[in-house]
Amino acid sequence: MKMFFEMPMGNLSDEEMTEKARIREIVEYDRYCTDYGYRIQQKELWHEDGRLFTTWFEGPVSEYLGNPTITPKERIPLNEPVESHGHRVNNTIVWLNGNKAIAELLCFLNFRTNIKGEWMDSQCWCRMHYRLEKRTGRWGIIYFEGIYEKDRMDPVFMDSTLKVTRDELQQYRAVNWNMAYRRGVIGGLKNADRWAGSDVPETLEKLYRESSEWFGLE
């Protein structure tokens, strides 16, 4: 069968380019809302029957977002590092087929975490894979899944003494070992063997095949 990424990308009409710009705005804002806790605004980007598969959650968007409310943020002392995470977007590619769209947002997923008393910066190379539909004139997300390529961890301070042996890392999947290690999850994160990733090509092939079938390609 034909895969969505085989579709031509150049010489599009002004209308198609406008629709792609709308979709790009939605998926990039979805990541922004995730990073900064704007759950109320994020809910408006999704259709009600949307679903997600992330490193820590698999299920409907209604459970993922719950009943979002605005909560005040706790002030951190000025001389203390801040536990944080965020997506740094590089490019967003959109494939369009009528009222259906697939978007992939290329990014780095960054974490700053205290591990065993040492502050560490982790980074994961990712592709954020979205399916979107236009219903009654409105584009909305109906599916999201991450694609993981590789990661690394670096100390925040030069005098860090944290050491992680290779033997310790053998229990984790190669593309996500420090995401699991920083959470202290022995044996790796839940469903890590099913994540789409470059180290297990069949997981990526499965995701792309399912998206292409949903997209209506033959």
Side-chain angles (χ1 to χ4, degrees):
M1 68 172 296
K2 186 175 181 179
M3 304 294 277
F4 69 87
F5 53 79
E6 297 173 328
M7 296 180 66
M9 296 292 287
N11 299 314
L12 300 178
S13 68
D14 290 346
E15 181 181 358
E16 288 173 314
M17 290 303 297
T18 298
E19 292 295 81
K20 285 194 172 192
R22 295 180 194 277
I23 293 160
R24 186 176 296 111
E25 177 79 4
I26 289 171
V27 298
E28 292 182 0
Y29 190 49
D30 180 66
R31 293 298 88 196
Y32 181 87
C33 290
T34 295
D35 290 345
Y36 297 105
Y38 299 138
R39 293 294 180 97
I40 295 174
Q41 294 87 341
Q42 189 172 18
K43 193 172 185 178
E44 296 299 316
L45 306 174
W46 286 76
H47 288 307
E48 292 184 356
D49 57 342
R51 296 185 62 83
L52 305 89
F53 182 26
T54 75
T55 58
W56 62 275
F57 179 86
E58 182 177 15
V61 69
S62 57
E63 287 185 21
Y64 178 79
L65 295 177
N67 185 20
T69 57
I70 299 175
T71 56
K73 299 208 177 273
E74 182 181 354
R75 182 177 177 131
I76 306 296
L78 294 179
N79 63 341
E80 290 290 331
V82 178
E83 186 109 7
S84 62
H85 80 279
H87 300 77
R88 295 298 173 260
V89 177
N90 294 328
N91 296 293
T92 302
I93 311 299
V94 178
W95 293 267
L96 192 62
N97 188 22
N99 289 332
K100 292 184 177 181
I102 293 173
E104 278 198 4
L105 185 153
L106 284 64
C107 69
F108 297 113
L109 182 55
N110 298 280
F111 301 91
R112 174 158 291 185
T113 313
N114 190 298
I115 302 176
K116 298 179 180 179
E118 297 281 2
W119 285 96
M120 306 296 292
D121 280 340
S122 303
Q123 189 177 77
C124 183
W125 281 248
C126 303
R127 280 177 276 168
M128 301 292 147
H129 186 86
Y130 288 88
R131 299 173 197 154
L132 302 95
E133 282 188 1
K134 190 176 186 180
R135 301 175 183 173
T136 61
R138 172 184 170 268
W139 283 104
I141 304 165
I142 64 165
Y143 186 73
F144 165 81
E145 183 171 341
I147 300 169
Y148 306 95
E149 296 177 331
K150 69 173 183 176
D151 66 359
R152 61 176 294 159
M153 183 183 291
D154 300 289
V156 174
F157 300 110
M158 298 297 291
D159 61 352
S160 172
T161 59
L162 178 66
K163 301 293 182 183
V164 183
T165 67
R166 295 189 186 188
D167 288 342
E168 287 182 83
L169 302 182
Q170 292 301 312
Q171 59 189 313
Y172 306 119
R173 185 170 164 182
V175 293
N176 73 288
W177 73 261
N178 71 57
M179 285 197 291
Y181 188 83
R182 74 183 183 83
R183 294 178 181 172
V185 182
I186 304 301
L189 297 172
K190 182 180 179 182
N191 296 322
D193 59 326
R194 293 171 45 222
W195 296 350
S198 56
D199 60 327
V200 184
E202 55 267 33
T203 59
L204 186 55
E205 292 168 6
K206 177 178 181 294
L207 174 61
Y208 277 12
R209 184 178 63 255
E210 291 173 348
S211 287
S212 297
E213 291 173 353
W214 167 83
F215 210 37
L217 300 180
E218 298 181 356

